[in-house]
Amino acid sequence: MGRPKRTLGQPSTSTAKVRVNIGVSAGPSNLGSSSLLQSTQPKQKKGASSSAVLTEPELDEMVISMVKVVLNLSVNKHPIKKQALVKHALAGNGRAFAKVIERATNELAHVYGYKLVETERNKKYIVVSTITSGSVLDLTEKYRRTYTLLYLILGYIFMKSGDIPEQGLWDYLAKLHITNDRKHAYFGDVRKLVTQTFIKQAYLVRTKKVVEGMNEDRIFIGWGVRAEHELSKKDILESMCKLLGRPSICYMAQHTAAYGPMRNEDDEDDVVEPTPK
Amino acid sequence: MPTAMPYTDVHRAFAQAIAHHGTMSAKQAYKALLAIYAKYHDGEEIPSEDDIPEVVASINGKLYRYDQKICFVHYEPADTDFYVFCNLVESQIDRIQNYYSESETTLFRLVLREMATSEEHKLKPIMCLNLTGEIQGKQLSKVRAEQLLDQWEKMGYFVQLGGMWHFGPKVIGEFDRYLTTNYPEQMRMCKLCKESVFYGVRCDKCPESFHRDCMKKYLRRLTNCPGCKNLWSTPV
């Protein structure tokens, strides 16, 4: 196989408007504070006892801490564990969590346009942007490339109406001249992105399924919880259809998944009969 | 505009964009703002470059609570203006992050140290890479160090000029106090404006440094070095 052509590496940006949601990036990589790790500051135990009722200033302090910790821990896009938030932002005070997280959620939305989403039943959180980028200028080049690849993958899974066997994904990418065995000129380490990065970031999930007639379980790849929250199915559908050159109604199952049912069966009764003259 | 702008998705999108990049040049920021206005602003107005400070001020009004600020940095070595997303405070809570490993943050501190203590605050690229040798504990490969330096350059922590690495606008925005506290002998203050001067103009008869712009203004009225009072002869 020859060198992958640059244009093939970026099909969707040329033929379809790839509206990649920024996701989170305003937990700026905190080199500033980390650089003071050398200091011998003892770990400060919060004075407020966990059993006493919190005063408003104490609560407010905790909300500020929570916002900061959420931002800092969201930079790598891995789901954040509730225990980590309680430990770092609340100094172990689990009782205050409900109140603090509610306020912090509001502040994140109001100030930054970030939505704090609970995944996995009160145990993990992800930060999702409610603002889609104004233009590609809002994103770095590297980010755009990485998430263009993701978009292509999520689009393919969506059009296939669900989980796909991992090998099927590699075959699809190979058709786009995106190989997984070496550094791709445009996308970088594709193998690492698909098998590690996107999984850790909850964009994709890998599951093992028992397949009829096969000895081993097969690995399937599907949309992760972050993808569900960050991406609009309508946008994905329309982008993929632009690539395929056919209107989205040609793909009924996917159209329904994105837009909802075309017509409710109950509506049949609402058809107006012409009144007889 | 007669009244203060309401805080809208324009502000949120702009804040996100600057935070995402870490640092944006004023021109870059303006182009981004144009597109953001087109998408999120209620109305037909097209912003001018002069509208940026007001948008930034509105955002900073909200960020203040979290010890964050979008700083305007006039970066003299490249004669370019930048907007930098800065974290201002370095307390216990700000130290919690999961993006860089301990070795990686150590490397960053070492580069700051070398740069601060070098004569003109600039380093050869190989110097930065060789600092990996000083890291205790988990080792960093030179390849990884190169990737990090590249990332940090993109975020505006460092700038390459004439083949040498310099402090970038993001270090100037975020690490001023850290550097003047840790390297008081080597960091200079401009006597004219009382701010730190990273890359300024030097008097040839005394060790004083001044901002180029500060000195330009000063020399319109006076001709002596504000430090040693001798005739100023360095070109500005």
Side-chain angles (χ1 to χ4, degrees), chain A residues 25 32-33 35 60 68 72 88 107 110-112 129 132-133 137 140, chain B residues 7 12 16 20-21 39-40 62 65-68 93-94 96 109 175:
Chain A
S25 23
S33 35
S35 65
D60 198 60
K68 286 184 175 189
N72 287 354
H88 295 301
E107 293 189 16
H110 174 71
V111 174
Y112 302 94
S129 176
T132 47
S133 43
L137 300 162
T140 60
Chain B
Y7 195 79
R12 296 179 187 107
Q16 281 198 24
H20 176 80
H21 286 272
K39 192 165 178 184
Y40 289 113
K62 304 281 181 183
R65 183 168 157 74
Y66 314 104
D67 301 311
Q68 291 176 335
I93 203 85
D94 298 288
I96 293 149
R109 274 187 287 116
F175 286 86

PDB file of all heavy atoms in Angstrom, chain A residues 25 32-33 35 60 68 72 88 107 110-112 129 132-133 137 140, chain B residues 7 12 16 20-21 39-40 62 65-68 93-94 96 109 175:
ATOM      1  N   SER A  25     -11.924  21.718  27.385  1.00  0.00           N
ATOM      2  CA  SER A  25     -10.510  22.050  27.313  1.00  0.00           C
ATOM      3  C   SER A  25     -10.169  23.148  28.289  1.00  0.00           C
ATOM      4  O   SER A  25      -9.035  23.443  28.511  1.00  0.00           O
ATOM      5  CB  SER A  25     -10.147  22.468  25.907  1.00  0.00           C
ATOM      6  OG  SER A  25     -11.296  22.913  25.245  1.00  0.00           O
ATOM      7  N   GLY A  32       1.123  25.649  36.035  1.00  0.00           N
ATOM      8  CA  GLY A  32       1.408  26.710  36.990  1.00  0.00           C
ATOM      9  C   GLY A  32       1.493  26.163  38.391  1.00  0.00           C
ATOM     10  O   GLY A  32       2.479  26.306  39.086  1.00  0.00           O
ATOM     11  N   SER A  33       0.447  25.524  38.810  1.00  0.00           N
ATOM     12  CA  SER A  33       0.436  25.067  40.184  1.00  0.00           C
ATOM     13  C   SER A  33       1.315  23.842  40.368  1.00  0.00           C
ATOM     14  O   SER A  33       1.968  23.688  41.378  1.00  0.00           O
ATOM     15  CB  SER A  33      -0.992  24.755  40.594  1.00  0.00           C
ATOM     16  OG  SER A  33      -1.687  24.238  39.507  1.00  0.00           O
ATOM     17  N   SER A  35       3.986  23.211  39.205  1.00  0.00           N
ATOM     18  CA  SER A  35       5.401  23.529  39.306  1.00  0.00           C
ATOM     19  C   SER A  35       5.816  23.776  40.744  1.00  0.00           C
ATOM     20  O   SER A  35       6.985  23.789  41.067  1.00  0.00           O
ATOM     21  CB  SER A  35       5.745  24.740  38.447  1.00  0.00           C
ATOM     22  OG  SER A  35       5.084  25.866  38.952  1.00  0.00           O
ATOM     23  N   ASP A  60     -19.508  28.075  50.109  1.00  0.00           N
ATOM     24  CA  ASP A  60     -19.056  28.792  48.929  1.00  0.00           C
ATOM     25  C   ASP A  60     -17.623  28.400  48.565  1.00  0.00           C
ATOM     26  O   ASP A  60     -17.307  28.173  47.391  1.00  0.00           O
ATOM     27  CB  ASP A  60     -19.139  30.303  49.177  1.00  0.00           C
ATOM     28  CG  ASP A  60     -19.117  31.071  47.883  1.00  0.00           C
ATOM     29  OD1 ASP A  60     -20.019  30.865  47.060  1.00  0.00           O
ATOM     30  OD2 ASP A  60     -18.163  31.857  47.668  1.00  0.00           O
ATOM     31  N   LYS A  68     -12.926  24.172  40.467  1.00  0.00           N
ATOM     32  CA  LYS A  68     -11.510  24.077  40.082  1.00  0.00           C
ATOM     33  C   LYS A  68     -11.092  22.626  39.869  1.00  0.00           C
ATOM     34  O   LYS A  68     -10.423  22.293  38.883  1.00  0.00           O
ATOM     35  CB  LYS A  68     -10.632  24.678  41.181  1.00  0.00           C
ATOM     36  CG  LYS A  68     -10.652  26.180  41.253  1.00  0.00           C
ATOM     37  CD  LYS A  68      -9.651  26.638  42.316  1.00  0.00           C
ATOM     38  CE  LYS A  68      -9.536  28.140  42.357  1.00  0.00           C
ATOM     39  NZ  LYS A  68      -8.418  28.542  43.236  1.00  0.00           N
ATOM     40  N   ASN A  72      -9.828  20.865  36.426  1.00  0.00           N
ATOM     41  CA  ASN A  72      -8.494  20.279  36.328  1.00  0.00           C
ATOM     42  C   ASN A  72      -8.527  18.799  35.971  1.00  0.00           C
ATOM     43  O   ASN A  72      -7.693  18.313  35.214  1.00  0.00           O
ATOM     44  CB  ASN A  72      -7.735  20.457  37.637  1.00  0.00           C
ATOM     45  CG  ASN A  72      -7.305  21.887  37.843  1.00  0.00           C
ATOM     46  OD1 ASN A  72      -7.477  22.720  36.967  1.00  0.00           O
ATOM     47  ND2 ASN A  72      -6.761  22.185  39.009  1.00  0.00           N
ATOM     48  N   HIS A  88     -10.704  15.552  46.948  1.00  0.00           N
ATOM     49  CA  HIS A  88      -9.896  16.739  46.651  1.00  0.00           C
ATOM     50  C   HIS A  88     -10.630  18.040  46.892  1.00  0.00           C
ATOM     51  O   HIS A  88     -10.047  19.013  47.340  1.00  0.00           O
ATOM     52  CB  HIS A  88      -9.415  16.697  45.202  1.00  0.00           C
ATOM     53  CG  HIS A  88      -8.481  15.568  44.925  1.00  0.00           C
ATOM     54  ND1 HIS A  88      -7.292  15.417  45.590  1.00  0.00           N
ATOM     55  CD2 HIS A  88      -8.559  14.538  44.071  1.00  0.00           C
ATOM     56  CE1 HIS A  88      -6.671  14.337  45.153  1.00  0.00           C
ATOM     57  NE2 HIS A  88      -7.422  13.781  44.223  1.00  0.00           N
ATOM     58  N   GLU A 107     -22.657  26.763  38.147  1.00  0.00           N
ATOM     59  CA  GLU A 107     -21.603  27.725  37.842  1.00  0.00           C
ATOM     60  C   GLU A 107     -20.824  27.332  36.598  1.00  0.00           C
ATOM     61  O   GLU A 107     -20.497  28.176  35.764  1.00  0.00           O
ATOM     62  CB  GLU A 107     -20.671  27.892  39.054  1.00  0.00           C
ATOM     63  CG  GLU A 107     -21.394  28.552  40.216  1.00  0.00           C
ATOM     64  CD  GLU A 107     -20.472  28.937  41.356  1.00  0.00           C
ATOM     65  OE1 GLU A 107     -19.242  28.987  41.165  1.00  0.00           O
ATOM     66  OE2 GLU A 107     -20.999  29.186  42.458  1.00  0.00           O
ATOM     67  N   HIS A 110     -22.980  28.293  33.702  1.00  0.00           N
ATOM     68  CA  HIS A 110     -23.151  29.729  33.502  1.00  0.00           C
ATOM     69  C   HIS A 110     -21.868  30.412  33.012  1.00  0.00           C
ATOM     70  O   HIS A 110     -21.898  31.210  32.090  1.00  0.00           O
ATOM     71  CB  HIS A 110     -23.616  30.392  34.800  1.00  0.00           C
ATOM     72  CG  HIS A 110     -23.665  31.883  34.706  1.00  0.00           C
ATOM     73  ND1 HIS A 110     -24.610  32.555  33.962  1.00  0.00           N
ATOM     74  CD2 HIS A 110     -22.859  32.842  35.218  1.00  0.00           C
ATOM     75  CE1 HIS A 110     -24.385  33.851  34.039  1.00  0.00           C
ATOM     76  NE2 HIS A 110     -23.338  34.054  34.800  1.00  0.00           N
ATOM     77  N   VAL A 111     -20.744  30.070  33.651  1.00  0.00           N
ATOM     78  CA  VAL A 111     -19.495  30.763  33.332  1.00  0.00           C
ATOM     79  C   VAL A 111     -18.838  30.229  32.058  1.00  0.00           C
ATOM     80  O   VAL A 111     -18.409  30.989  31.197  1.00  0.00           O
ATOM     81  CB  VAL A 111     -18.509  30.654  34.517  1.00  0.00           C
ATOM     82  CG1 VAL A 111     -17.152  31.230  34.162  1.00  0.00           C
ATOM     83  CG2 VAL A 111     -19.081  31.345  35.749  1.00  0.00           C
ATOM     84  N   TYR A 112     -18.748  28.919  31.952  1.00  0.00           N
ATOM     85  CA  TYR A 112     -17.963  28.331  30.873  1.00  0.00           C
ATOM     86  C   TYR A 112     -18.789  27.704  29.749  1.00  0.00           C
ATOM     87  O   TYR A 112     -18.252  27.394  28.688  1.00  0.00           O
ATOM     88  CB  TYR A 112     -17.046  27.234  31.423  1.00  0.00           C
ATOM     89  CG  TYR A 112     -16.091  27.685  32.497  1.00  0.00           C
ATOM     90  CD1 TYR A 112     -16.428  27.561  33.845  1.00  0.00           C
ATOM     91  CD2 TYR A 112     -14.848  28.216  32.174  1.00  0.00           C
ATOM     92  CE1 TYR A 112     -15.547  27.969  34.834  1.00  0.00           C
ATOM     93  CE2 TYR A 112     -13.959  28.609  33.164  1.00  0.00           C
ATOM     94  CZ  TYR A 112     -14.316  28.485  34.492  1.00  0.00           C
ATOM     95  OH  TYR A 112     -13.435  28.871  35.474  1.00  0.00           O
ATOM     96  N   SER A 129     -19.272  20.133  26.700  1.00  0.00           N
ATOM     97  CA  SER A 129     -19.546  21.516  26.368  1.00  0.00           C
ATOM     98  C   SER A 129     -20.937  21.660  25.771  1.00  0.00           C
ATOM     99  O   SER A 129     -21.335  20.870  24.917  1.00  0.00           O
ATOM    100  CB  SER A 129     -18.508  22.031  25.381  1.00  0.00           C
ATOM    101  OG  SER A 129     -18.826  23.342  25.002  1.00  0.00           O
ATOM    102  N   THR A 132     -21.123  24.454  20.904  1.00  0.00           N
ATOM    103  CA  THR A 132     -20.301  23.890  19.833  1.00  0.00           C
ATOM    104  C   THR A 132     -19.412  25.019  19.326  1.00  0.00           C
ATOM    105  O   THR A 132     -19.753  26.184  19.430  1.00  0.00           O
ATOM    106  CB  THR A 132     -21.152  23.346  18.676  1.00  0.00           C
ATOM    107  OG1 THR A 132     -22.132  24.313  18.337  1.00  0.00           O
ATOM    108  CG2 THR A 132     -21.840  22.065  19.071  1.00  0.00           C
ATOM    109  N   SER A 133     -18.281  24.663  18.787  1.00  0.00           N
ATOM    110  CA  SER A 133     -17.305  25.688  18.455  1.00  0.00           C
ATOM    111  C   SER A 133     -17.844  26.654  17.409  1.00  0.00           C
ATOM    112  O   SER A 133     -18.637  26.297  16.545  1.00  0.00           O
ATOM    113  CB  SER A 133     -16.019  25.047  17.957  1.00  0.00           C
ATOM    114  OG  SER A 133     -16.308  23.998  17.065  1.00  0.00           O
ATOM    115  N   LEU A 137     -11.470  27.693  14.102  1.00  0.00           N
ATOM    116  CA  LEU A 137     -10.451  28.526  14.734  1.00  0.00           C
ATOM    117  C   LEU A 137     -10.411  28.339  16.242  1.00  0.00           C
ATOM    118  O   LEU A 137      -9.432  28.673  16.893  1.00  0.00           O
ATOM    119  CB  LEU A 137     -10.710  30.005  14.419  1.00  0.00           C
ATOM    120  CG  LEU A 137     -10.693  30.351  12.935  1.00  0.00           C
ATOM    121  CD1 LEU A 137     -11.364  31.681  12.697  1.00  0.00           C
ATOM    122  CD2 LEU A 137      -9.257  30.385  12.430  1.00  0.00           C
ATOM    123  N   THR A 140      -7.393  23.636  18.235  1.00  0.00           N
ATOM    124  CA  THR A 140      -6.041  23.483  17.691  1.00  0.00           C
ATOM    125  C   THR A 140      -6.055  22.469  16.560  1.00  0.00           C
ATOM    126  O   THR A 140      -6.938  21.609  16.488  1.00  0.00           O
ATOM    127  CB  THR A 140      -5.055  22.994  18.765  1.00  0.00           C
ATOM    128  OG1 THR A 140      -5.509  21.734  19.261  1.00  0.00           O
ATOM    129  CG2 THR A 140      -4.961  23.981  19.918  1.00  0.00           C
TER     130      THR A 140
ATOM    131  N   TYR B   7     -23.893  38.714  29.642  1.00  0.00           N
ATOM    132  CA  TYR B   7     -22.985  37.575  29.510  1.00  0.00           C
ATOM    133  C   TYR B   7     -23.684  36.467  28.741  1.00  0.00           C
ATOM    134  O   TYR B   7     -24.686  35.923  29.200  1.00  0.00           O
ATOM    135  CB  TYR B   7     -22.579  37.085  30.902  1.00  0.00           C
ATOM    136  CG  TYR B   7     -21.392  36.162  30.910  1.00  0.00           C
ATOM    137  CD1 TYR B   7     -20.097  36.659  30.802  1.00  0.00           C
ATOM    138  CD2 TYR B   7     -21.558  34.781  31.029  1.00  0.00           C
ATOM    139  CE1 TYR B   7     -19.001  35.811  30.812  1.00  0.00           C
ATOM    140  CE2 TYR B   7     -20.462  33.928  31.042  1.00  0.00           C
ATOM    141  CZ  TYR B   7     -19.185  34.444  30.936  1.00  0.00           C
ATOM    142  OH  TYR B   7     -18.099  33.608  30.949  1.00  0.00           O
ATOM    143  N   ARG B  12     -18.935  32.650  26.540  1.00  0.00           N
ATOM    144  CA  ARG B  12     -18.571  31.267  26.888  1.00  0.00           C
ATOM    145  C   ARG B  12     -17.734  30.626  25.792  1.00  0.00           C
ATOM    146  O   ARG B  12     -16.736  29.961  26.048  1.00  0.00           O
ATOM    147  CB  ARG B  12     -19.829  30.440  27.129  1.00  0.00           C
ATOM    148  CG  ARG B  12     -20.619  30.938  28.313  1.00  0.00           C
ATOM    149  CD  ARG B  12     -21.889  30.153  28.584  1.00  0.00           C
ATOM    150  NE  ARG B  12     -22.633  30.836  29.621  1.00  0.00           N
ATOM    151  CZ  ARG B  12     -23.751  31.527  29.416  1.00  0.00           C
ATOM    152  NH1 ARG B  12     -24.275  31.593  28.209  1.00  0.00           N
ATOM    153  NH2 ARG B  12     -24.337  32.133  30.411  1.00  0.00           N
ATOM    154  N   GLN B  16     -13.852  29.489  26.101  1.00  0.00           N
ATOM    155  CA  GLN B  16     -13.454  28.114  25.795  1.00  0.00           C
ATOM    156  C   GLN B  16     -12.350  28.088  24.752  1.00  0.00           C
ATOM    157  O   GLN B  16     -11.405  27.315  24.847  1.00  0.00           O
ATOM    158  CB  GLN B  16     -14.654  27.309  25.275  1.00  0.00           C
ATOM    159  CG  GLN B  16     -15.588  26.839  26.364  1.00  0.00           C
ATOM    160  CD  GLN B  16     -16.494  25.711  25.887  1.00  0.00           C
ATOM    161  OE1 GLN B  16     -16.184  24.991  24.952  1.00  0.00           O
ATOM    162  NE2 GLN B  16     -17.635  25.545  26.542  1.00  0.00           N
ATOM    163  N   HIS B  20      -8.725  26.622  25.444  1.00  0.00           N
ATOM    164  CA  HIS B  20      -8.327  25.454  24.656  1.00  0.00           C
ATOM    165  C   HIS B  20      -6.944  25.653  24.053  1.00  0.00           C
ATOM    166  O   HIS B  20      -6.100  24.765  24.092  1.00  0.00           O
ATOM    167  CB  HIS B  20      -9.369  25.218  23.564  1.00  0.00           C
ATOM    168  CG  HIS B  20      -9.039  24.108  22.626  1.00  0.00           C
ATOM    169  ND1 HIS B  20      -9.232  22.785  22.923  1.00  0.00           N
ATOM    170  CD2 HIS B  20      -8.515  24.123  21.378  1.00  0.00           C
ATOM    171  CE1 HIS B  20      -8.856  22.034  21.907  1.00  0.00           C
ATOM    172  NE2 HIS B  20      -8.417  22.826  20.943  1.00  0.00           N
ATOM    173  N   HIS B  21      -6.726  26.829  23.484  1.00  0.00           N
ATOM    174  CA  HIS B  21      -5.427  27.108  22.880  1.00  0.00           C
ATOM    175  C   HIS B  21      -4.354  27.396  23.927  1.00  0.00           C
ATOM    176  O   HIS B  21      -3.175  27.196  23.680  1.00  0.00           O
ATOM    177  CB  HIS B  21      -5.516  28.303  21.934  1.00  0.00           C
ATOM    178  CG  HIS B  21      -6.198  28.004  20.632  1.00  0.00           C
ATOM    179  ND1 HIS B  21      -5.543  27.522  19.532  1.00  0.00           N
ATOM    180  CD2 HIS B  21      -7.481  28.113  20.264  1.00  0.00           C
ATOM    181  CE1 HIS B  21      -6.400  27.356  18.532  1.00  0.00           C
ATOM    182  NE2 HIS B  21      -7.584  27.699  18.946  1.00  0.00           N
ATOM    183  N   LYS B  39     -22.184  33.170  15.043  1.00  0.00           N
ATOM    184  CA  LYS B  39     -22.958  32.016  15.478  1.00  0.00           C
ATOM    185  C   LYS B  39     -23.831  32.296  16.697  1.00  0.00           C
ATOM    186  O   LYS B  39     -24.951  31.809  16.792  1.00  0.00           O
ATOM    187  CB  LYS B  39     -22.001  30.884  15.813  1.00  0.00           C
ATOM    188  CG  LYS B  39     -22.674  29.556  15.997  1.00  0.00           C
ATOM    189  CD  LYS B  39     -21.644  28.452  15.946  1.00  0.00           C
ATOM    190  CE  LYS B  39     -22.304  27.101  16.169  1.00  0.00           C
ATOM    191  NZ  LYS B  39     -21.336  26.019  16.218  1.00  0.00           N
ATOM    192  N   TYR B  40     -23.307  33.068  17.630  1.00  0.00           N
ATOM    193  CA  TYR B  40     -23.985  33.169  18.924  1.00  0.00           C
ATOM    194  C   TYR B  40     -24.540  34.533  19.268  1.00  0.00           C
ATOM    195  O   TYR B  40     -25.277  34.669  20.241  1.00  0.00           O
ATOM    196  CB  TYR B  40     -23.030  32.727  20.046  1.00  0.00           C
ATOM    197  CG  TYR B  40     -22.771  31.242  20.029  1.00  0.00           C
ATOM    198  CD1 TYR B  40     -21.508  30.732  19.714  1.00  0.00           C
ATOM    199  CD2 TYR B  40     -23.793  30.339  20.305  1.00  0.00           C
ATOM    200  CE1 TYR B  40     -21.286  29.368  19.677  1.00  0.00           C
ATOM    201  CE2 TYR B  40     -23.568  28.974  20.260  1.00  0.00           C
ATOM    202  CZ  TYR B  40     -22.318  28.497  19.957  1.00  0.00           C
ATOM    203  OH  TYR B  40     -22.093  27.156  19.921  1.00  0.00           O
ATOM    204  N   LYS B  62     -16.183  36.994  35.570  1.00  0.00           N
ATOM    205  CA  LYS B  62     -16.698  35.701  36.042  1.00  0.00           C
ATOM    206  C   LYS B  62     -15.575  34.769  36.486  1.00  0.00           C
ATOM    207  O   LYS B  62     -15.726  33.966  37.401  1.00  0.00           O
ATOM    208  CB  LYS B  62     -17.483  35.001  34.920  1.00  0.00           C
ATOM    209  CG  LYS B  62     -18.614  35.807  34.338  1.00  0.00           C
ATOM    210  CD  LYS B  62     -19.828  35.778  35.222  1.00  0.00           C
ATOM    211  CE  LYS B  62     -20.949  36.586  34.586  1.00  0.00           C
ATOM    212  NZ  LYS B  62     -22.137  36.657  35.432  1.00  0.00           N
ATOM    213  N   ARG B  65     -13.461  34.621  40.289  1.00  0.00           N
ATOM    214  CA  ARG B  65     -13.865  33.760  41.412  1.00  0.00           C
ATOM    215  C   ARG B  65     -13.018  32.481  41.500  1.00  0.00           C
ATOM    216  O   ARG B  65     -12.813  31.944  42.583  1.00  0.00           O
ATOM    217  CB  ARG B  65     -15.339  33.404  41.193  1.00  0.00           C
ATOM    218  CG  ARG B  65     -16.000  32.593  42.234  1.00  0.00           C
ATOM    219  CD  ARG B  65     -17.504  32.618  41.972  1.00  0.00           C
ATOM    220  NE  ARG B  65     -18.189  31.505  42.550  1.00  0.00           N
ATOM    221  CZ  ARG B  65     -18.448  31.354  43.854  1.00  0.00           C
ATOM    222  NH1 ARG B  65     -18.037  32.265  44.712  1.00  0.00           N
ATOM    223  NH2 ARG B  65     -19.097  30.294  44.288  1.00  0.00           N
ATOM    224  N   TYR B  66     -12.536  32.020  40.356  1.00  0.00           N
ATOM    225  CA  TYR B  66     -11.778  30.758  40.333  1.00  0.00           C
ATOM    226  C   TYR B  66     -10.286  31.014  40.158  1.00  0.00           C
ATOM    227  O   TYR B  66      -9.537  30.111  39.783  1.00  0.00           O
ATOM    228  CB  TYR B  66     -12.313  29.851  39.220  1.00  0.00           C
ATOM    229  CG  TYR B  66     -13.808  29.791  39.212  1.00  0.00           C
ATOM    230  CD1 TYR B  66     -14.551  30.488  38.261  1.00  0.00           C
ATOM    231  CD2 TYR B  66     -14.497  29.088  40.199  1.00  0.00           C
ATOM    232  CE1 TYR B  66     -15.936  30.474  38.292  1.00  0.00           C
ATOM    233  CE2 TYR B  66     -15.880  29.069  40.228  1.00  0.00           C
ATOM    234  CZ  TYR B  66     -16.600  29.769  39.274  1.00  0.00           C
ATOM    235  OH  TYR B  66     -17.967  29.762  39.294  1.00  0.00           O
ATOM    236  N   ASP B  67      -9.872  32.228  40.413  1.00  0.00           N
ATOM    237  CA  ASP B  67      -8.458  32.594  40.276  1.00  0.00           C
ATOM    238  C   ASP B  67      -7.947  32.351  38.864  1.00  0.00           C
ATOM    239  O   ASP B  67      -6.828  31.898  38.667  1.00  0.00           O
ATOM    240  CB  ASP B  67      -7.591  31.815  41.277  1.00  0.00           C
ATOM    241  CG  ASP B  67      -8.020  32.090  42.708  1.00  0.00           C
ATOM    242  OD1 ASP B  67      -8.165  33.278  43.051  1.00  0.00           O
ATOM    243  OD2 ASP B  67      -8.238  31.124  43.458  1.00  0.00           O
ATOM    244  N   GLN B  68      -8.820  32.638  37.903  1.00  0.00           N
ATOM    245  CA  GLN B  68      -8.396  32.531  36.510  1.00  0.00           C
ATOM    246  C   GLN B  68      -8.556  33.903  35.864  1.00  0.00           C
ATOM    247  O   GLN B  68      -9.346  34.729  36.316  1.00  0.00           O
ATOM    248  CB  GLN B  68      -9.266  31.516  35.756  1.00  0.00           C
ATOM    249  CG  GLN B  68      -9.042  30.089  36.213  1.00  0.00           C
ATOM    250  CD  GLN B  68      -9.974  29.111  35.523  1.00  0.00           C
ATOM    251  OE1 GLN B  68     -11.054  29.473  35.068  1.00  0.00           O
ATOM    252  NE2 GLN B  68      -9.561  27.870  35.451  1.00  0.00           N
ATOM    253  N   ILE B  93      -5.241  23.342  46.215  1.00  0.00           N
ATOM    254  CA  ILE B  93      -6.312  22.817  45.377  1.00  0.00           C
ATOM    255  C   ILE B  93      -5.960  22.918  43.897  1.00  0.00           C
ATOM    256  O   ILE B  93      -6.341  22.085  43.074  1.00  0.00           O
ATOM    257  CB  ILE B  93      -7.659  23.535  45.672  1.00  0.00           C
ATOM    258  CG1 ILE B  93      -8.823  22.659  45.256  1.00  0.00           C
ATOM    259  CG2 ILE B  93      -7.746  24.881  45.016  1.00  0.00           C
ATOM    260  CD1 ILE B  93      -9.210  21.687  46.322  1.00  0.00           C
ATOM    261  N   ASP B  94      -5.178  23.943  43.547  1.00  0.00           N
ATOM    262  CA  ASP B  94      -4.827  24.124  42.144  1.00  0.00           C
ATOM    263  C   ASP B  94      -3.811  23.094  41.680  1.00  0.00           C
ATOM    264  O   ASP B  94      -3.578  22.949  40.491  1.00  0.00           O
ATOM    265  CB  ASP B  94      -4.251  25.531  41.940  1.00  0.00           C
ATOM    266  CG  ASP B  94      -5.278  26.598  42.285  1.00  0.00           C
ATOM    267  OD1 ASP B  94      -6.226  26.754  41.517  1.00  0.00           O
ATOM    268  OD2 ASP B  94      -5.124  27.245  43.335  1.00  0.00           O
ATOM    269  N   ILE B  96      -3.977  19.943  41.981  1.00  0.00           N
ATOM    270  CA  ILE B  96      -4.557  18.657  41.611  1.00  0.00           C
ATOM    271  C   ILE B  96      -4.812  18.624  40.110  1.00  0.00           C
ATOM    272  O   ILE B  96      -5.577  19.406  39.593  1.00  0.00           O
ATOM    273  CB  ILE B  96      -5.869  18.436  42.379  1.00  0.00           C
ATOM    274  CG1 ILE B  96      -5.542  18.270  43.858  1.00  0.00           C
ATOM    275  CG2 ILE B  96      -6.614  17.225  41.867  1.00  0.00           C
ATOM    276  CD1 ILE B  96      -6.605  18.751  44.778  1.00  0.00           C
ATOM    277  N   ARG B 109       9.587  22.638  35.288  1.00  0.00           N
ATOM    278  CA  ARG B 109      10.241  23.492  36.290  1.00  0.00           C
ATOM    279  C   ARG B 109      11.727  23.658  36.007  1.00  0.00           C
ATOM    280  O   ARG B 109      12.300  24.726  36.210  1.00  0.00           O
ATOM    281  CB  ARG B 109      10.065  22.896  37.691  1.00  0.00           C
ATOM    282  CG  ARG B 109       8.774  23.307  38.355  1.00  0.00           C
ATOM    283  CD  ARG B 109       8.741  22.831  39.791  1.00  0.00           C
ATOM    284  NE  ARG B 109       8.549  21.397  39.912  1.00  0.00           N
ATOM    285  CZ  ARG B 109       9.436  20.545  40.441  1.00  0.00           C
ATOM    286  NH1 ARG B 109      10.589  20.976  40.895  1.00  0.00           N
ATOM    287  NH2 ARG B 109       9.171  19.265  40.496  1.00  0.00           N
ATOM    288  N   PHE B 175       3.630  32.923  35.349  1.00  0.00           N
ATOM    289  CA  PHE B 175       4.766  32.591  36.210  1.00  0.00           C
ATOM    290  C   PHE B 175       5.603  33.773  36.655  1.00  0.00           C
ATOM    291  O   PHE B 175       6.677  33.595  37.227  1.00  0.00           O
ATOM    292  CB  PHE B 175       5.666  31.568  35.495  1.00  0.00           C
ATOM    293  CG  PHE B 175       5.076  30.198  35.471  1.00  0.00           C
ATOM    294  CD1 PHE B 175       4.201  29.820  34.469  1.00  0.00           C
ATOM    295  CD2 PHE B 175       5.365  29.297  36.485  1.00  0.00           C
ATOM    296  CE1 PHE B 175       3.629  28.565  34.466  1.00  0.00           C
ATOM    297  CE2 PHE B 175       4.809  28.031  36.483  1.00  0.00           C
ATOM    298  CZ  PHE B 175       3.939  27.665  35.468  1.00  0.00           C
TER     299      PHE B 175
END
